Amino acid sequence: MYAELLPALCCPACSHSPLTLLGPLEEAGEIVAGALRCSNCGAQTAILDGVWDALGDAPVPLTPTQLTNYVPLTARGYEPAWRWTALSIMSGRHFPLREELTLLCELIQPQPGNVYIDVACSAGLYARALAQPGLIVGAIDHSMPFLREARRLSLARGQRVSYVRASAQALPFRDDVARGVAMGGSLNEIGDQQGALREVHRILQPNGVFFCMNLVAAGSSWGRVLQRLLGAGGIDFPLLDELNQSFTRVSLERRAQWIWRVVAVTLLRRHES
Ligand SMILES: C[S@@+](CC[C@H](N)C(=O)[O-])C[C@H]1O[C@@H](n2cnc3c(N)ncnc32)[C@H](O)[C@@H]1O
């Protein structure tokens, strides 16, 4: 957790902001231990090993997919064993990470001094791609093993990313605070999709941008069978129309969209009515 993200945070219990930092222990400019206290409701939440735990003892989903996300071995192996090749496998074309991350940065166009949040970040791939000097980058996930791995990877690269354990349906960030939000592959397993998208809309500044990469329903019959099996594990594959309606319902306006087989990349903007 880095001090520059503190003004963007709000109390996970009552949404009050700002929070007061208590007893910080800093190492190389990072707040590695301490607590955040809300002066409105008195709630106190810990920063431990560099990660702010805004979720505490709150219940977390226990679907089979989510259970694997709480296993340290999954967190360690996710990027090297799967993520680098995932889009090539699922899109049916050569789709290297370099291309995905270039698209992310070109569409979000991060600007110094602004806040960018990677929602349901796993090992922090998008957060690391966005983390340029002068930017304020935060990343949330509800899996502590994934957040620890994400922090390990960004520290190894000398990058300043603030990690927060939180639910995508209750982001502990102030209204209108982020210039950009990114979500890579998480909407499919996030649970309440509308709740998560509402939160993205809430924390985005007017005209802020949202980069969403997710999977949609397969067109082939074998693909649909596979997706039905994965559905039993807690992964949902919406029809493209359903996905787009979900965005519209929360006033996220589609600016561009690319579909490669089941991979959808959508650039959205917070719509002002
Ligand atoms: C497909 S992975 C994300 C991959 C990552 N964004 C990337 O691009 O490499 C899904 C992640 O979402 C997290 N997750 C799922 N539901 C969540 C929720 N409701 N709130 C916070 N994190 C969630 C899981 O713990 C897991 O780390």
Side-chain angles (χ1 to χ4, degrees):
M1 167 68 63
Y2 291 90
E4 62 264 26
L5 191 70
L6 294 178
L9 305 179
C10 73
C11 173
C14 75
S15 300
H16 175 81
S17 179
L19 301 174
T20 309
L21 177 62
L22 303 176
L25 178 68
E26 294 194 19
E27 273 172 26
E30 185 194 23
I31 305 163
V32 292
L36 289 174
R37 185 172 190 283
C38 174
S39 60
N40 183 52
C41 73
Q44 197 160 305
T45 37
I47 301 170
L48 208 62
D49 297 332
V51 177
W52 177 37
D53 187 355
L55 208 49
D57 296 334
V60 288
L62 297 175
T63 62
T65 306
Q66 285 311 322
L67 285 172
T68 63
N69 289 329
Y70 305 136
V71 176
L73 200 61
T74 309
R76 198 61 184 242
Y78 179 70
E79 282 193 12
W82 164 246
R83 192 58 176 85
W84 67 277
T85 189
L87 289 203
S88 293
I89 292 173
M90 293 185 296
S91 68
R93 71 168 181 91
H94 180 55
F95 201 149
L97 266 188
R98 194 179 52 251
E99 183 181 338
E100 181 183 350
L101 300 180
T102 300
L103 194 58
L104 167 76
C105 292
E106 282 180 356
L107 293 176
I108 292 232
Q109 294 197 347
Q111 307 286 331
N114 286 303
V115 172
Y116 298 88
I117 306 292
D118 181 357
V119 172
C121 64
S122 284
L125 182 69
Y126 281 6
R128 294 199 309 279
L130 291 171
Q132 308 297 327
L135 266 58
I136 303 166
V137 179
I140 77 104
D141 202 286
H142 58 197
S143 159
M144 193 55 99
F146 259 122
L147 289 164
R148 288 202 185 104
E149 174 66 3
R151 176 172 173 261
R152 186 184 74 79
L153 292 172
S154 56
L155 283 178
R157 289 161 177 75
Q159 294 178 304
R160 287 173 82 96
V161 180
S162 296
Y163 293 101
V164 178
R165 182 168 172 265
S167 161
Q169 287 81 9
L171 296 174
F173 299 107
R174 283 178 23 225
D175 295 356
D176 309 341
V177 82
R179 182 72 204 136
V181 172
M183 192 188 280
S186 305
L187 199 61
N188 300 90
E189 57 185 85
I190 215 155
D192 174 8
Q193 293 183 357
Q194 284 295 288
L197 293 175
R198 252 194 315 276
E199 281 293 87
V200 169
H201 179 274
R202 180 185 66 75
I203 69 165
L204 273 177
Q205 293 172 357
N207 293 320
V209 290
F210 174 38
F211 177 98
C212 187
M213 185 280 285
N214 65 284
L215 306 180
V216 291
S220 67
S221 45
W222 73 264
R224 281 196 294 272
V225 170
L226 181 63
Q227 289 188 339
R228 214 166 298 136
L229 290 173
L230 292 168
I235 308 183
D236 178 56
F237 301 92
L239 294 167
L240 183 60
D241 274 357
E242 290 170 354
L243 174 72
N244 288 335
Q245 283 165 22
S246 307
F247 293 141
T248 306
R249 267 199 293 277
V250 298
S251 298
L252 288 168
E253 179 188 35
R254 238 175 326 129
R255 307 292 289 172
Q257 187 167 58
W258 295 262
I259 310 295
W260 296 278
R261 212 143 76 179
V262 296
V263 176
V265 170
T266 313
L267 178 72
L268 301 118
R269 194 181 64 168
R270 175 176 152 173
H271 180 62
E272 294 310 299
S273 49

